[in-house]
Amino acid sequence: MKLAVYWTGSCGGCDVSFLELGMGLLEVLSRVEIVFWPALVDAKRRDLERLPARSVDVTLVNGVIRTAENKEMVEILREKSKFLGAYGACAHLGGIPALANQVNGVTEIVFGPGFRPGAPLGEAAEDAPPELLPEALSLDEVVPVDFVVPGCPPPAGLIARFFEAAFAEAISPGRIFAGEKALCEECPRTREDRRLTRIVRPHEVQPDPEKCLLDQGIICLGPVTRAGCGAACPKGGMPCTGCLGPTPKAGDPALAMLSALASLVRAGEEGESAFPEENKILDSLVDPIGTLYKYSFAKYGRPLLKLARKRQEVRA
Ligand code: SF4
Ligand code: SF4
């Protein structure tokens, strides 16, 4: 199998995640011919451009699409590949880097006024950094994507499942290599009192090791996230932050989770008199966008952004 792996706007964790296969990696490497994988073998853009169209069997792209160069590279990879997949949460949903879409002019805020990425740097214009796109994008907003191996980074079991399907030539279009059901279904923690009387952050409490974290007031996205990692984070004492992406039933993960929270939150007696207190509990959720759209803001956050900008205009 001719394989290409490419990294766009990424932390590098996805490239490293293949090591999670352990000894299984040896078998994978014995069955693939690496035609392009800059993190592993020296290859340049011109080498990729020389390949005939559709000569790569499978390409895995990890990372968010953030620069003009990212966009050009994945367009070339698309042309050269029979199957092209989003590997990891950034390529799948925009990932953590796409939270920057909340802010206009993010580079000026970070690097200071007047900073223009992509502008010629004196004599060294050839080495200038690539132009930033106005927004961080998920891979499927730029090129058609055949399949997804989700996660931040993808867990070993799902990587193995993907290679099994690829070697058997059984990658069906649109396939997401994770479960359709919610993560709660594979979580060993016990769920009892589905009443939320407070919201706390993980570092503020010592949670009971057996009980559901959400029942203890810690925002865990298990009810709206795809199963497939064996509930790795709740098993380790931390809430699920949604890296495998939302279940088909949940759709927009933040809206689905807000809806769940609104029905779980309870303050004192039932009825309208409890609403102000219940609102206070919901207001204590710190950084709702970063919590509920941690990996998926590029994909699902746009209507919210539009609304916020419209409000700003109206206020102005
Ligand atoms: S800890 Fe999270 S994943 Fe486990 S049952 Fe509770 S909400 Fe679901
Ligand atoms: S528990 Fe949630 S955040 Fe953790 S690996 Fe699984 S899907 Fe990702």
Side-chain angles (χ1 to χ4, degrees):
M1 185 174 95
K2 287 187 162 60
L3 175 73
V5 179
Y6 190 65
W7 155 0
T8 54
S10 157
C11 69
C14 280
D15 268 295
V16 176
S17 69
F18 294 96
L19 295 175
E20 292 290 324
L21 289 173
M23 296 304 280
L25 184 59
L26 296 180
E27 197 200 326
V28 167
L29 290 176
S30 72
R31 295 182 71 177
V32 297
E33 180 191 336
I34 296 170
V35 288
F36 189 70
W37 190 341
L40 272 196
V41 290
D42 186 24
K44 303 285 185 274
R45 175 176 170 150
R46 60 178 174 276
D47 301 314
L48 180 65
E49 283 170 338
R50 278 190 205 122
L51 296 174
R54 291 176 59 79
S55 61
V56 183
D57 293 311
V58 179
T59 292
L60 300 171
V61 175
N62 70 78
V64 66
I65 308 301
R66 195 65 182 98
T67 67
E69 186 205 25
N70 295 156
K71 185 167 175 291
E72 286 166 23
M73 286 301 287
V74 297
E75 283 166 353
I76 301 170
L77 283 161
R78 177 67 274 185
E79 188 219 325
K80 307 296 179 188
S81 312
K82 291 186 188 121
F83 285 96
L84 179 133
Y87 185 93
C90 294
H92 178 200
L93 303 165
I96 293 171
L99 286 171
N101 287 356
Q102 292 173 83
V103 185
N104 283 328
V106 69
T107 49
E108 292 218 352
I109 291 166
V110 176
F111 299 108
F115 180 83
R116 291 275 175 278
L121 297 177
E123 294 303 304
E126 208 181 307
D127 298 333
E131 186 195 336
L132 273 195
L133 301 175
E135 280 183 315
L137 304 169
S138 57
L139 184 62
D140 67 353
E141 293 181 281
V142 180
V143 291
V145 166
D146 300 312
F147 65 93
V148 177
V149 187
C152 182
L158 302 185
I159 304 172
R161 210 185 285 176
F162 154 71
F163 276 114
E164 241 168 64
F167 291 139
E169 298 186 12
I171 300 179
S172 42
R175 179 161 176 194
I176 297 185
F177 285 87
E180 302 260 299
K181 291 193 172 157
L183 188 88
C184 290
E185 306 234 356
E186 59 183 6
C187 177
R189 289 178 174 264
T190 51
R191 276 160 282 166
E192 288 163 2
D193 187 18
R194 276 280 147 117
R195 282 163 60 93
L196 214 62
T197 53
R198 61 174 186 160
I199 290 175
V200 289
R201 301 176 85 185
H203 64 276
E204 292 172 332
V205 287
Q206 184 73 43
D208 183 309
E210 309 293 333
K211 288 188 184 159
C212 167
L213 294 168
L214 194 53
D215 286 351
Q216 299 179 67
I218 298 171
I219 301 300
C220 178
L221 300 197
V224 299
T225 302
R226 284 177 184 269
C229 64
C233 299
K235 271 187 194 159
M238 290 299 284
C240 170
T241 52
C243 81
L244 291 183
T247 59
K249 195 172 161 204
D252 181 316
L255 293 187
M257 198 62 203
L258 272 182
S259 158
L261 289 177
S263 64
L264 289 178
V265 79
R266 289 284 177 279
E269 297 301 314
E270 297 282 322
E272 285 188 21
S273 61
F275 286 179
E277 274 310 302
E278 291 177 354
N279 283 343
K280 266 194 210 160
I281 296 173
L282 288 172
D283 282 347
S284 67
L285 170 57
V286 178
D287 185 15
I289 291 182
T291 305
L292 304 177
Y293 283 126
K294 184 166 179 178
Y295 307 95
S296 58
F297 195 62
K299 190 90 175 158
Y300 293 100
R302 244 170 233 129
L304 192 69
L305 268 186
K306 265 193 195 161
L307 193 70
R309 284 181 187 143
K310 197 95 214 147
R311 273 186 157 189
Q312 263 175 358
E313 279 170 29
V314 171
R315 279 196 191 131

